[in-house]
Amino acid sequence: MPVVDGINIPEDMKGSLKASNKRDSVLGVRPASETTEAEHATIEAHPKPLWTRIRASCREAFSEFFGTMILVLFGNGVVAQVVLSNNQKGDYQSISWGWGLGVMLGVYVSGISGSHLNPAVTFAMCVFRKFPWRKWPVYAVSQILGGICAAAIVYGNYKSAIDAYEGGPDIRTVPGYSDTASAGIFCTYPAEFMTRTGQFFSEFVASSILMFVIFALTDSGNMAAGPLMPLAMFFTIFGIGACFGWETGYAINLARDFGPRLVSYMLGYGTEVWKAGNYYFWVPAVAPFFGCTFGGWLYDMFLYVGPESPTNMPYLGLRRFVKPGAEKHHNDHSPV
Amino acid sequence: MPVVDGINIPEDMKGSLKASNKRDSVLGVRPASETTEAEHATIEAHPKPLWTRIRASCREAFSEFFGTMILVLFGNGVVAQVVLSNNQKGDYQSISWGWGLGVMLGVYVSGISGSHLNPAVTFAMCVFRKFPWRKWPVYAVSQILGGICAAAIVYGNYKSAIDAYEGGPDIRTVPGYSDTASAGIFCTYPAEFMTRTGQFFSEFVASSILMFVIFALTDSGNMAAGPLMPLAMFFTIFGIGACFGWETGYAINLARDFGPRLVSYMLGYGTEVWKAGNYYFWVPAVAPFFGCTFGGWLYDMFLYVGPESPTNMPYLGLRRFVKPGAEKHHNDHSPV
Amino acid sequence: MPVVDGINIPEDMKGSLKASNKRDSVLGVRPASETTEAEHATIEAHPKPLWTRIRASCREAFSEFFGTMILVLFGNGVVAQVVLSNNQKGDYQSISWGWGLGVMLGVYVSGISGSHLNPAVTFAMCVFRKFPWRKWPVYAVSQILGGICAAAIVYGNYKSAIDAYEGGPDIRTVPGYSDTASAGIFCTYPAEFMTRTGQFFSEFVASSILMFVIFALTDSGNMAAGPLMPLAMFFTIFGIGACFGWETGYAINLARDFGPRLVSYMLGYGTEVWKAGNYYFWVPAVAPFFGCTFGGWLYDMFLYVGPESPTNMPYLGLRRFVKPGAEKHHNDHSPV
Amino acid sequence: MPVVDGINIPEDMKGSLKASNKRDSVLGVRPASETTEAEHATIEAHPKPLWTRIRASCREAFSEFFGTMILVLFGNGVVAQVVLSNNQKGDYQSISWGWGLGVMLGVYVSGISGSHLNPAVTFAMCVFRKFPWRKWPVYAVSQILGGICAAAIVYGNYKSAIDAYEGGPDIRTVPGYSDTASAGIFCTYPAEFMTRTGQFFSEFVASSILMFVIFALTDSGNMAAGPLMPLAMFFTIFGIGACFGWETGYAINLARDFGPRLVSYMLGYGTEVWKAGNYYFWVPAVAPFFGCTFGGWLYDMFLYVGPESPTNMPYLGLRRFVKPGAEKHHNDHSPV
């Protein structure tokens, strides 16, 4: 794991921030590299414990895994508490709180890997911030596994309450098929009046806003949030939930929706988890990629001046497909 | 005039912050100048892509456009969700949240241009902080266009829900003319018991508080909020909504009210959008200018010591009308 | 106005914080002194405008006036909105928000004077932090006047709504004497089941917590809040309202309670504003002084190590009454 | 072991932060050492007042005592207000607010001692961060005493209201035994549908999340919260309350639950405080130790690289039991 991972961000991310370094850090205020170096020193000085060596090569994956797990633990947990208690122990606003602070704390937990927590965010980072494409599968799988584990823990924690709510330990139902459905704890189901186009558009808009705001908050050429980034993400997610969360439940995240949906299917909620809303399940899995890409493009096109964005390359970076290597002279910041 | 300007600049803004740059930054924690310089260096070193050159001259306009768009997206979005779901997916407090965090995130997004987001704020900046008058029209138009685009997106997102709420795709009604009116999503309508004087006074008071607080929060001679500015704006807007938001809906912003009102008119809500409340529509367009000017004057008169405010000039800066050029020696920041 | 006012706080309030400087700044993150010096320089360099000279000697009073005005504007405003709209435009939690952010923004506004906003806080500062006793009357009067002005503005803003709520423009009633009483907008009235002892104890406990927390938040020998002070005050006031606010309405402040009460009396609410709750009105005026003094003593006795507190002087500082001047050797940090 | 410890220390903690000092600070942003040094200097220079000398040896205990007292004052206070006012002066969300900000302010108050506030957190610090075991009893006792005092104050404050709610000054009942039970003000009682396993699991999960998040927030090799730590703790506790607080009331703290429970027993609530929920009382006392240890282990095992954690020692630190002293060369921070 050479210096490619090495993010060294100077004070306040100002000044001599090199493009090649910045690209790995989406939400991360403190860079992972310093830790890696410290770790490196440790490894040099002493005989390496086996686990330390194994972990060193998996740390980013662990980081995304646990970050997403924290996110979904709080997110699914709050929906469980509100739904199963019949709004006695929380209301719709609690759900905004739960997802918002879940993202905030997930961002803190996964600073080592840049706090993506969302395959679509990682995708947009690859497209617009030169995050290495080879890492995308690792990140996406870690995020989905984190969502799966969290959903399983929430199920275990609320099993008695689900039994009481659904009417028995063998009854597990999905919204639209029952009045006491609890499947909504784990993943999103659309409001009944929504058309397919409306479903997609709603997820698309919310994802676009998410990515646009993330790029604004991390742009040191704008009013970057810096150490307040996790707090700003709380407000962003709270806002998306309060303002665009009704129609489709603001999944805006494959890992947060598909992972727990799979868990609910395995736990016996039946094939309705896939069939509900006319096979709605693929919308929150696919739309965020389009939305995040569009939102990121919008920000970069009109407000971002960093050279690593394709929008700031000649011919919008498309020349690489025609003439590979031609962009090197424009964007390489190394002195040689 | 070297030290006269000497409101001590906190360390993180110390560097090359020139007076001429500082004037432009209202809410901006990081000055716009640094970005411009970085951009400049890039442009020098490499052949300029066409779009980069175009954008360089429009960046402030884009910044205000997108900042106001984010503000109105969250603001109109939350009202839509609360109204159309019959308070099932939010309540009045959600609306305070939505507008508050909309302003907060809009401030982050538009740091490049100083985060005005409001023609009346820009106006007060021109009057009291030597913000260049020639920029006022550009800012105001960008802000209004941002509000228009955001309202259109919110309409598109909630079209199905509006149809269901109003009773059909052809029915669009305005508060006071129907029990299932949805026009309140886009712009403000006054409470029924309000007199014209009361309407104007309510908007005037709220705008005054807004501008007074903004000037306090950005005054480095007072306890300036610094990097917490966006968060402090969240609390300010939340507070105005919770404490002075009932009677007239706390528009306090031409761009946030007139822009979306125009959209709702074009979308078929009828001439009632103008006629409602005895042609109320001009109050939230006009009153904020008076309110923001008064609030700014109050702060400068009693608490502000910076020399760029007319209140701190001899004869309250009015001498310029009598004897143009006489103030030059006292307030000109240029070395010549 | 010599250097006695001069608070110069180094970076982060750490290191060489001298006792004589620190004592004036309660909540103030940025010191007033730098401003004063800048102002001084301005005054030196140019012929002084008359108003600048007047203002220089009244700035602390203005600062406390406007800080308390902002506090009471938001505080009384939110109660008005919640009460008069019959909980349609807010609920009890909104009231916690309103007072909390009122204090937060008031603290920001009045950083010049140390953000006391409360005669009892100023009193405790005099007792425990060597804040000059001669300033107490100035601060107290400014704070009360700020509360009076704010209450009058809130009355003007909500006059139509009060008329509609009470049943007519001539009807103004006090809680306990009417079901549609609106006097609770302006000042506090105790819950009916409270005994006199309970009333006093409730205000005493809340004031003690307030002062204890303020001293903790500003103690650089503890985990001082620093620039987060206004935000921490939001949480403190929110908490006092949510946890100890029911029984007596958590006045904990003479300026916030007595000032507006006087306004409500002058506006025609009748002598019931004084008689209600068996002449309750003096409790929120007197108890905070006892509470704040006790809370401050508690913190200083057990946790504070700064030498300016009497609790850290020999014989708890009481020797000064016996043998004036004897403490000088122990507590004077000046080199002479 | 010089650089091995080299988790880069952020600038504001750079100075003279010694490893031995850092160990003691869990949540503390500012190290306790500076205070101690200042105190030391004071003591050197002047004849020591008696109380100063006594206090110097008890300061950490006082700090934990008052921190936990503030925590429980707000926490028990908000439950009292919500329950006794029949949800008129707050709702379930208020309870999340109260406990969250209670922890936040408690953390600020007890920065001197590292802001543990919880015997299980202190335990996990001993296990994973080399916090001295000899201090555990002192911390635990201080924390429990703080909880006891706070509960007594809350009882005194709300006595009239409890009388009114229960039906008389002699009636004190426990949830499950009465419809107007007020014992839930002081400590937690489980929901009726919970099995013993479910009770334990719920407390275990919540405690694990708590410790995992605390370790993430304080890990300077990750995105440490730094000065935002108290605020981040607010969100953490709010989240645990909103997402995992229904089933067992999220005690997750022996001091917060056992201390007030003892008070309620002494105040006449009867033996039901122990018997309720099939002798539930030991679960919130015991489960947090298992949960916090597991959560801490999880974080250290997968994400933490600091050498003081046993998980980063050869053989997971278990070698010490086999061959005492063998780890000395690797982990001893002392120069000798």
Side-chain angles (χ1 to χ4, degrees):
Chain A
M1 189 183 277
V3 194
V4 175
D5 274 323
I7 311 162
N8 77 314
I9 298 177
E11 317 163 21
D12 272 334
M13 304 179 70
K14 271 190 254 175
S16 64
L17 191 59
K18 279 182 279 183
S20 62
N21 287 333
K22 207 171 106 197
R23 63 195 171 197
D24 288 7
S25 171
V26 193
L27 305 179
V29 174
R30 295 200 185 193
S33 71
E34 299 173 10
T35 307
T36 312
E37 284 166 19
E39 196 179 13
H40 199 65
T42 308
I43 290 169
E44 293 283 324
H46 301 288
K48 309 172 189 178
L50 176 62
W51 173 240
T52 301
R53 277 176 289 163
I54 295 170
R55 187 174 62 178
S57 60
C58 303
R59 256 186 114 211
E60 289 188 333
F62 288 159
S63 170
E64 287 295 314
F65 172 83
F66 282 109
T68 314
M69 195 174 91
I70 288 289
L71 157 57
V72 178
L73 272 174
F74 282 104
N76 280 357
V78 74
V79 183
Q81 180 159 323
V82 171
V83 167
L84 301 176
S85 73
N86 286 307
N87 281 33
Q88 292 300 301
K89 298 293 179 182
D91 52 15
Y92 185 82
Q93 204 179 64
S94 306
I95 294 176
S96 295
W97 273 93
W99 284 104
L101 62 85
V103 168
M104 175 186 175
L105 297 176
V107 166
Y108 270 122
V109 163
S110 62
I112 290 163
S113 56
S115 305
H116 294 198
L117 305 180
N118 185 337
V121 170
T122 306
F123 185 84
M125 293 300 293
C126 292
V127 173
F128 295 111
R129 291 293 180 274
K130 294 199 169 174
F131 189 79
W133 281 105
R134 66 178 163 76
K135 288 192 180 178
W136 188 82
V138 178
Y139 271 54
V141 168
S142 305
Q143 290 154 357
I144 293 170
L145 287 176
I148 286 174
C149 285
I153 293 169
V154 168
Y155 181 79
N157 189 54
Y158 282 105
K159 189 172 182 312
S160 307
I162 292 174
D163 291 351
Y165 184 78
E166 290 262 18
D170 298 329
I171 309 173
R172 293 290 182 270
T173 54
V174 171
Y177 298 85
S178 152
D179 286 341
T180 56
S182 63
I185 292 170
F186 301 100
C187 52
T188 60
Y189 295 93
E192 295 198 359
F193 57 79
M194 295 296 289
T195 64
R196 171 56 41 94
T197 308
Q199 292 167 358
F200 195 91
F201 187 71
S202 180
E203 286 292 305
F204 178 86
V205 166
S207 306
S208 298
I209 293 173
L210 173 69
M211 204 66 222
F212 188 89
V213 170
I214 288 177
F215 272 3
L217 291 170
T218 54
D219 180 5
S220 59
N222 204 331
M223 194 197 298
L228 295 170
M229 186 69 204
L231 187 62
M233 286 310 299
F234 166 77
F235 283 98
T236 307
I237 301 298
F238 193 109
I240 291 176
C243 311
F244 297 96
W246 174 29
E247 298 184 326
T248 57
Y250 67 118
I252 58 174
N253 188 343
L254 168 65
R256 165 260 180 282
D257 196 77
F258 181 78
R261 193 182 297 272
L262 197 64
V263 171
S264 68
Y265 176 65
M266 294 189 296
L267 288 169
Y269 280 89
T271 53
E272 286 88 352
V273 304
W274 310 107
K275 286 191 280 188
N278 190 22
Y279 292 91
Y280 168 75
F281 80 94
W282 67 265
V283 173
V286 171
F289 288 92
F290 288 90
C292 285
T293 306
F294 178 73
W297 174 83
L298 205 64
Y299 187 80
D300 279 19
M301 197 68 187
F302 290 99
L303 294 173
Y304 191 65
V305 297
E308 75 273 29
S309 171
T311 60
N312 295 331
M313 295 173 188
Y315 307 99
L316 300 181
L318 298 174
R319 194 197 277 186
R320 88 179 79 171
F321 298 112
V322 181
K323 207 173 169 186
E327 285 158 7
K328 199 178 172 187
H329 305 293
H330 295 290
N331 296 290
D332 190 351
H333 278 208
S334 63
V336 182
Chain B
M1 185 184 276
V3 192
V4 175
D5 194 19
I7 304 156
N8 61 307
I9 297 171
E11 296 201 4
D12 57 334
M13 295 174 72
K14 203 173 268 178
S16 61
L17 192 57
K18 281 178 281 183
S20 61
N21 288 331
K22 208 175 105 203
R23 283 195 303 226
D24 291 6
S25 172
V26 193
L27 305 178
V29 174
R30 297 197 183 195
S33 69
E34 298 175 10
T35 307
T36 314
E37 283 167 20
E39 196 177 15
H40 199 64
T42 307
I43 290 169
E44 293 282 325
H46 300 289
K48 311 171 189 178
L50 176 61
W51 174 240
T52 302
R53 277 175 290 163
I54 295 171
R55 188 174 61 179
S57 61
C58 303
R59 255 187 114 209
E60 289 187 334
F62 289 159
S63 171
E64 286 295 315
F65 172 83
F66 282 108
T68 315
M69 194 173 92
I70 288 289
L71 157 57
V72 178
L73 271 175
F74 282 105
N76 281 358
V78 74
V79 183
Q81 180 158 325
V82 171
V83 168
L84 300 176
S85 74
N86 285 306
N87 281 32
Q88 292 300 301
K89 298 293 180 182
D91 52 16
Y92 185 82
Q93 203 180 64
S94 306
I95 293 175
S96 295
W97 274 93
W99 283 105
L101 61 87
V103 168
M104 175 185 174
L105 297 176
V107 165
Y108 270 123
V109 163
S110 62
I112 291 164
S113 57
S115 307
H116 294 198
L117 305 180
N118 186 338
V121 170
T122 306
F123 185 83
M125 292 301 294
C126 292
V127 174
F128 295 109
R129 291 292 181 273
K130 294 203 166 172
F131 190 80
W133 281 105
R134 64 178 163 76
K135 287 191 182 180
W136 187 83
V138 178
Y139 270 55
V141 168
S142 305
Q143 289 155 357
I144 293 169
L145 288 176
I148 286 174
C149 283
I153 293 169
V154 169
Y155 182 79
N157 190 53
Y158 282 105
K159 187 169 183 313
S160 307
I162 293 173
D163 291 351
Y165 184 78
E166 291 262 18
D170 299 330
I171 309 172
R172 294 290 182 271
T173 55
V174 170
Y177 298 85
S178 150
D179 286 341
T180 56
S182 62
I185 292 170
F186 300 101
C187 52
T188 60
Y189 295 93
E192 296 199 0
F193 57 78
M194 295 296 289
T195 64
R196 172 55 41 93
T197 308
Q199 291 167 359
F200 195 91
F201 186 72
S202 179
E203 286 291 306
F204 178 86
V205 166
S207 306
S208 298
I209 294 173
L210 174 69
M211 203 66 221
F212 188 89
V213 170
I214 288 177
F215 272 2
L217 291 171
T218 53
D219 180 4
S220 58
N222 203 330
M223 193 198 298
L228 295 170
M229 186 68 204
L231 187 63
M233 287 308 299
F234 165 78
F235 284 98
T236 307
I237 302 298
F238 193 109
I240 292 176
C243 311
F244 297 95
W246 173 29
E247 298 184 327
T248 57
Y250 68 118
I252 59 174
N253 188 343
L254 168 66
R256 165 260 178 283
D257 196 77
F258 181 78
R261 192 183 298 272
L262 196 65
V263 171
S264 68
Y265 176 65
M266 293 190 296
L267 287 170
Y269 280 88
T271 54
E272 286 88 351
V273 303
W274 310 107
K275 286 191 280 190
N278 190 23
Y279 292 93
Y280 168 73
F281 80 93
W282 67 266
V283 173
V286 172
F289 288 93
F290 288 89
C292 285
T293 306
F294 177 74
W297 173 84
L298 206 64
Y299 187 80
D300 279 18
M301 198 67 187
F302 291 98
L303 294 174
Y304 191 66
V305 298
E308 73 271 32
S309 172
T311 59
N312 296 330
M313 294 174 187
Y315 307 98
L316 299 182
L318 297 174
R319 192 197 280 187
R320 89 181 78 173
F321 299 112
V322 181
K323 204 175 169 186
E327 285 159 6
K328 198 178 174 187
H329 305 294
H330 296 290
N331 297 288
D332 193 348
H333 289 92
S334 63
V336 184
Chain C
M1 188 182 280
V3 194
V4 173
D5 274 323
I7 311 163
N8 77 315
I9 299 178
E11 315 165 22
D12 270 332
M13 304 179 69
K14 272 189 256 174
S16 62
L17 193 59
K18 278 181 280 182
S20 60
N21 287 332
K22 207 171 107 198
R23 63 197 173 198
D24 289 6
S25 171
V26 191
L27 304 180
V29 174
R30 295 200 186 194
S33 70
E34 299 174 8
T35 307
T36 313
E37 284 167 19
E39 196 178 14
H40 200 64
T42 307
I43 290 167
E44 293 284 325
H46 300 289
K48 309 173 191 180
L50 176 60
W51 174 239
T52 302
R53 277 175 292 165
I54 295 170
R55 188 175 61 178
S57 61
C58 303
R59 254 187 115 211
E60 288 187 333
F62 288 159
S63 171
E64 285 296 315
F65 172 83
F66 282 108
T68 314
M69 193 174 93
I70 288 288
L71 158 57
V72 179
L73 271 175
F74 282 105
N76 280 357
V78 73
V79 183
Q81 179 159 324
V82 171
V83 168
L84 300 176
S85 73
N86 284 306
N87 281 33
Q88 292 301 301
K89 300 292 179 181
D91 52 16
Y92 185 82
Q93 202 178 64
S94 306
I95 294 175
S96 296
W97 273 94
W99 284 105
L101 62 88
V103 169
M104 175 185 172
L105 297 175
V107 165
Y108 270 122
V109 163
S110 63
I112 290 163
S113 57
S115 306
H116 294 197
L117 305 180
N118 186 338
V121 170
T122 306
F123 185 84
M125 292 300 294
C126 293
V127 173
F128 296 110
R129 293 290 181 275
K130 294 200 166 175
F131 189 80
W133 281 105
R134 63 176 165 77
K135 289 192 179 179
W136 188 83
V138 179
Y139 271 55
V141 168
S142 305
Q143 290 155 358
I144 293 169
L145 287 176
I148 286 173
C149 284
I153 293 169
V154 168
Y155 181 79
N157 189 53
Y158 282 105
K159 188 170 182 313
S160 308
I162 293 172
D163 291 351
Y165 184 78
E166 290 262 18
D170 298 330
I171 309 173
R172 294 289 181 271
T173 54
V174 170
Y177 299 83
S178 150
D179 287 341
T180 57
S182 62
I185 293 170
F186 301 102
C187 53
T188 60
Y189 295 94
E192 297 197 359
F193 57 79
M194 294 296 289
T195 64
R196 172 54 42 92
T197 308
Q199 292 168 357
F200 195 91
F201 187 71
S202 180
E203 285 292 306
F204 179 86
V205 166
S207 305
S208 297
I209 293 173
L210 173 70
M211 204 65 220
F212 188 89
V213 170
I214 288 177
F215 272 2
L217 291 170
T218 53
D219 179 4
S220 60
N222 203 331
M223 194 198 297
L228 296 170
M229 186 68 204
L231 186 63
M233 287 309 298
F234 165 78
F235 283 98
T236 307
I237 302 300
F238 193 108
I240 292 175
C243 310
F244 297 95
W246 173 29
E247 298 183 326
T248 57
Y250 67 118
I252 58 174
N253 189 343
L254 168 65
R256 166 258 179 284
D257 196 76
F258 181 79
R261 193 183 298 272
L262 197 64
V263 172
S264 68
Y265 175 66
M266 294 189 296
L267 287 169
Y269 280 88
T271 53
E272 287 88 350
V273 304
W274 311 107
K275 286 191 280 189
N278 188 23
Y279 294 93
Y280 168 74
F281 79 94
W282 67 265
V283 174
V286 171
F289 289 93
F290 288 89
C292 285
T293 306
F294 177 74
W297 174 83
L298 205 64
Y299 187 82
D300 279 18
M301 198 65 186
F302 291 98
L303 294 173
Y304 191 66
V305 298
E308 75 272 30
S309 172
T311 59
N312 296 330
M313 295 173 186
Y315 307 98
L316 299 181
L318 298 173
R319 192 195 280 187
R320 88 179 79 172
F321 298 111
V322 181
K323 205 174 169 186
E327 285 157 7
K328 198 179 173 187
H329 305 293
H330 295 289
N331 297 290
D332 192 349
H333 278 205
S334 63
V336 183
Chain D
M1 187 185 274
V3 193
V4 175
D5 195 19
I7 302 157
N8 61 304
I9 298 172
E11 294 199 7
D12 58 333
M13 296 174 75
K14 203 173 270 176
S16 63
L17 191 58
K18 279 177 284 181
S20 62
N21 288 332
K22 207 174 105 201
R23 281 194 304 225
D24 291 6
S25 171
V26 192
L27 305 180
V29 174
R30 298 195 184 199
S33 68
E34 299 175 9
T35 308
T36 313
E37 284 167 19
E39 196 178 12
H40 199 66
T42 308
I43 290 169
E44 294 282 324
H46 300 290
K48 309 172 191 179
L50 176 62
W51 173 241
T52 302
R53 276 174 292 163
I54 295 171
R55 188 175 61 178
S57 61
C58 304
R59 256 186 112 211
E60 288 187 334
F62 288 159
S63 170
E64 286 296 313
F65 172 83
F66 283 108
T68 314
M69 194 174 91
I70 288 287
L71 158 57
V72 178
L73 272 174
F74 282 106
N76 280 357
V78 74
V79 182
Q81 180 158 323
V82 170
V83 167
L84 300 176
S85 73
N86 285 307
N87 282 32
Q88 292 300 301
K89 299 293 179 182
D91 51 15
Y92 185 83
Q93 202 178 65
S94 307
I95 294 176
S96 296
W97 273 94
W99 283 105
L101 62 85
V103 168
M104 175 184 172
L105 297 175
V107 166
Y108 270 123
V109 162
S110 62
I112 291 164
S113 57
S115 305
H116 294 197
L117 305 180
N118 185 337
V121 170
T122 307
F123 185 84
M125 292 300 293
C126 292
V127 173
F128 295 109
R129 292 290 180 275
K130 293 200 167 174
F131 189 79
W133 281 105
R134 64 178 164 76
K135 289 191 180 178
W136 188 82
V138 179
Y139 271 54
V141 168
S142 305
Q143 290 154 357
I144 293 169
L145 288 175
I148 286 173
C149 285
I153 294 169
V154 169
Y155 182 79
N157 190 54
Y158 281 106
K159 190 173 179 312
S160 308
I162 292 173
D163 291 351
Y165 183 79
E166 291 262 17
D170 298 330
I171 309 173
R172 294 290 182 270
T173 54
V174 171
Y177 298 84
S178 151
D179 286 342
T180 56
S182 63
I185 293 171
F186 302 100
C187 52
T188 59
Y189 295 93
E192 297 198 358
F193 57 79
M194 295 295 289
T195 63
R196 172 55 41 95
T197 309
Q199 292 167 358
F200 195 92
F201 187 72
S202 180
E203 285 292 304
F204 179 87
V205 167
S207 306
S208 298
I209 293 173
L210 174 69
M211 203 66 221
F212 188 90
V213 169
I214 288 177
F215 272 4
L217 290 170
T218 53
D219 179 5
S220 59
N222 203 332
M223 194 197 298
L228 295 170
M229 186 67 205
L231 186 63
M233 286 310 298
F234 165 77
F235 283 98
T236 306
I237 302 299
F238 193 108
I240 291 175
C243 311
F244 297 95
W246 175 28
E247 298 184 325
T248 57
Y250 66 118
I252 58 175
N253 188 343
L254 168 66
R256 164 258 179 284
D257 196 76
F258 181 79
R261 192 183 299 272
L262 196 63
V263 171
S264 67
Y265 176 66
M266 295 190 295
L267 288 169
Y269 280 89
T271 53
E272 286 88 351
V273 304
W274 310 106
K275 286 192 280 188
N278 189 23
Y279 293 91
Y280 168 75
F281 80 95
W282 66 266
V283 174
V286 171
F289 288 92
F290 288 89
C292 285
T293 306
F294 178 73
W297 173 82
L298 206 64
Y299 186 81
D300 279 19
M301 197 67 186
F302 290 98
L303 293 173
Y304 191 65
V305 298
E308 75 271 31
S309 172
T311 59
N312 296 330
M313 295 173 186
Y315 307 97
L316 300 180
L318 298 174
R319 194 196 279 186
R320 87 180 80 172
F321 298 111
V322 182
K323 206 174 168 186
E327 284 159 6
K328 197 178 174 186
H329 305 293
H330 297 290
N331 297 290
D332 192 350
H333 289 91
S334 63
V336 182

